[in-house]
Amino acid sequence: MSTPPVGMIIEGLVAILLLVTIAYCWILNSRLQRLRADEETLRATISELMTATEIAERAILGLKATASEADKSLGNRLSQAEKMSNALAAQVVKGEEVFTRISQIAEAASRSSVQREAYAPAPQPGPMPAHMPQMAAPTMHEPAPRGRAPRADDIRSAAAEATARLEQFRRRSGGSAA
């Protein structure tokens, strides 16, 4: 047998390499087609991502504006609440003062009613002796109307009435003890 000529071997080897290259190009072409198809999908995805980013930026700006407005509103409401709290605290203090005054007035009124009952004149079993002056029944002196100072005559008559009651009380206590 004869050995094939070297030229033929080289040409056969080149033909095999060409077939391998054609097969490789065909595989590469199919991959490039897939890559181009993925590129279109990727471009669509990037476009959607950019749109979503713009929407998110607008939403963030809106949220910042809303947060700023809410902060101002909350600050105003807090200052109003603080003013209201201070006003209420002042009213509570005034209310406590009024309650204290009312308590003192009620206490004084209850003490004076107890004293009036203790010092009320006992009923007389008959006419008074001729040597004792007739006195009018004890009456409560009405206080002067608000805004008007009591007159000197009113004060004198109240003092005379108190003196007469005291004298009457002394006579009764002295007479019953004797």
Side-chain angles (χ1 to χ4, degrees):
M1 274 214 346
S2 76
T3 64
V6 176
M8 193 86 163
I9 294 177
I10 291 180
E11 285 183 21
L13 189 59
V14 168
I16 292 173
L17 286 175
L18 278 175
L19 285 174
V20 170
T21 303
I22 290 173
Y24 184 74
C25 284
W26 184 65
I27 292 172
L28 189 60
N29 187 32
S30 66
R31 285 185 182 176
L32 283 173
Q33 285 178 352
R34 276 189 274 151
L35 183 62
R36 285 187 189 128
D38 289 344
E39 179 184 5
E40 291 301 319
T41 306
L42 186 60
R43 283 182 195 236
T45 303
I46 289 172
S47 176
E48 290 175 8
L49 184 61
M50 288 176 62
T51 305
T53 303
E54 289 174 4
I55 292 171
E57 285 176 356
R58 284 189 221 129
I60 288 171
L61 291 175
L63 285 174
K64 283 182 181 179
T66 303
S68 175
E69 186 178 320
D71 185 40
K72 288 178 185 175
S73 175
L74 182 61
N76 289 338
R77 287 183 179 184
L78 283 175
S79 66
Q80 289 175 350
E82 188 174 339
K83 289 176 186 175
M84 182 68 73
S85 174
N86 291 339
L88 287 174
Q91 289 181 357
V92 165
V93 168
K94 288 179 182 177
E96 288 175 352
E97 290 173 0
V98 168
F99 179 73
T100 303
R101 287 182 197 156
I102 290 173
S103 297
Q104 290 171 350
I105 290 169
E107 189 176 305
S110 69
R111 273 191 263 139
S112 72
S113 68
V114 168
Q115 288 175 352
R116 269 189 258 133
E117 289 174 7
Y119 295 114
Q124 295 291 327
M128 289 190 72
H131 68 279
M132 294 184 87
Q134 289 287 333
M135 293 177 50
T139 61
M140 290 291 297
H141 180 70
E142 292 184 16
R146 246 189 166 170
R148 187 181 124 210
R151 289 191 228 153
D153 292 341
D154 293 342
I155 295 172
R156 284 188 193 117
S157 65
E161 188 177 327
T163 306
R165 285 185 196 168
L166 181 61
E167 190 63 35
Q168 189 180 22
F169 177 72
R170 284 183 185 158
R171 285 183 188 154
R172 283 190 196 137
S173 63
S176 62

